[in-house]
Amino acid sequence: MTDTAVIEGAEPQVEAKKGAGGYAVHHQAFGLRARRAQFVLLIVLVPITLIPLYVMVTAAFKTAANADVRQMWQFPNPFSIDGLSAAWEALAPNFVNSFGMVIPAVVISCFLGSFNGYLLSKWRFRGDNAIFTLMLVGMFIPYQSVLIPMVKFLQLIGLYGTIPGLILVHVVYGIPIATLIFRNYYTATIPTALIEAAALDGASLIRTYYRIVLPLSAPGFVVAGIFQFTNIWNDFLFGIVVIPNPNSQPVTAALNNLSGTQTVDWNVVMAGALVAAIPTLIAYLAFGKYFVQGLTSGSVK
């Protein structure tokens, strides 16, 4: 009787194992079909996504006569760098202006965002959530709605029409997103117990930040830095409003001046767009891996 009971009791377990195995095989087959569908979808979408890049690059190496709508799909024939030479000659001073604007703006906004994120994630005080919410609201204010008061304020402090004035604008607009990135990063990766231990050892708020938090912030700086660098470098509206003088404008605003009033040399325009896009491309190629690591850092904690 006992042996029979044992055997009979084991049958449901065997069937359960078979059922579990069948489910695993079915799930694996479904996953394989999903990956195949994704691969097919990528094959279709990637060429569509790369079409604008193809047209821009090929037109940049064409002559002015061949860079038109009728020949936009053709390879450069003859191959020419006249467009690149003309574009660089026109944009070189503005290229320097862009670097003079973007580097200080990225560094200052990232450091301010880092310190704000540290305060809002590791210290509790009255109104901290309200302050953080108000900062986030600043991310969603349309640029067009602040142009007039922004220009009036820059004129008041004597920075209108200057690169420092444009740096100030980008720093102010970059603080909310940088604060959000660092607050989430510190919440996920830096234990509050570490901050409390530093406080027990007599470290002040500022000392704790510079000695403990800042050395652990490299992934957060990579994410915020690439995000800010891309946004600031590609900005057009602030560059053309804050600095009316074409010689002092950043490169993205100066691209608009490559188009003539009567005719447009599309090879020069496309070459200028290619030249202006190179810094952001290099940034992503050089730091893209660290950008992804920074975004996912602490995600499993």
Side-chain angles (χ1 to χ4, degrees), residues 7 19 26 92 141 191 199 222 235 241 260 267 288:
I7 294 174
H26 175 73
I141 298 177
V222 171
D235 172 67
V241 171
N267 62 327

Side-chain angles (χ1 to χ4, degrees), residues 12 28 46 53 84 87 100 105 115 127 141 150 162 169 185 207 212 214 237 253 255 260 266 271 281-282 290-291:
Q28 184 177 5
V46 167
L53 180 63
L84 283 173
F115 190 73
I141 298 177
M150 178 188 70
T162 65
V169 171
Y185 174 73
R207 187 178 182 85
I212 296 177
L214 193 59
L237 181 62
L255 280 174
W266 288 109
L281 179 63
I282 293 176
Y290 305 102
F291 182 76

Side-chain angles (χ1 to χ4, degrees), residues 12-29:
Q13 297 178 3
V14 173
E15 293 178 357
K17 290 181 180 179
K18 291 181 178 178
Y23 175 78
V25 172
H26 175 73
H27 182 72
Q28 184 177 5

Side-chain angles (χ1 to χ4, degrees), residues 74-197:
Q74 300 177 9
F75 284 102
N77 186 22
F79 186 89
S80 174
I81 61 171
D82 292 342
L84 283 173
S85 300
W88 178 251
E89 183 179 355
L91 297 178
N94 304 96
F95 216 83
V96 175
N97 295 338
S98 286
F99 274 110
M101 169 196 66
V102 72
I103 293 176
V106 169
V107 172
I108 295 172
S109 61
C110 285
F111 269 101
L112 291 178
S114 172
F115 190 73
N116 289 340
Y118 159 65
L119 289 178
L120 294 171
S121 63
K122 298 305 176 183
W123 295 87
R124 289 291 173 261
F125 52 90
R126 181 177 298 179
D128 56 345
N129 290 328
I131 293 175
F132 181 61
T133 302
L134 290 175
M135 282 189 176
L136 294 186
V137 170
M139 295 171 53
F140 303 102
I141 298 177
Y143 291 173
Q144 295 83 354
S145 64
V146 300
L147 289 180
I148 294 178
M150 178 188 70
V151 169
K152 293 293 185 183
F153 175 75
L154 292 176
Q155 289 175 340
L156 181 64
I157 62 176
L159 292 180
Y160 179 70
T162 65
I163 292 295
L166 196 55
I167 292 173
L168 177 62
V169 171
H170 285 300
V171 167
V172 171
Y173 255 95
I175 287 176
I177 184 62
T179 299
L180 175 64
I181 291 173
F182 280 104
R183 182 180 184 270
N184 293 342
Y185 174 73
Y186 292 149
T187 300
T189 60
I190 298 182
T192 304
L194 187 62
I195 307 300
E196 294 174 348

Side-chain angles (χ1 to χ4, degrees), residues 59 62-68 71 80 82-83 264-268:
K62 292 179 180 179
T63 61
N66 294 333
D68 56 14
Q71 305 179 61
S80 174
D82 292 342
V264 179
D265 292 332
W266 288 109
N267 62 327
V268 178

Side-chain angles (χ1 to χ4, degrees), residues 43-57:
I43 292 178
V44 174
L45 293 181
V46 167
I48 296 176
T49 305
L50 293 178
I51 285 175
L53 180 63
Y54 167 80
V55 173
M56 180 180 70
V57 173

Side-chain angles (χ1 to χ4, degrees), residues 197-222:
L200 290 176
D201 289 339
S204 64
L205 184 148
I206 303 295
R207 187 178 182 85
T208 301
Y209 171 73
Y210 281 108
R211 290 298 182 90
I212 296 177
V213 176
L214 193 59
L216 301 175
S217 303
F221 273 97
V222 171

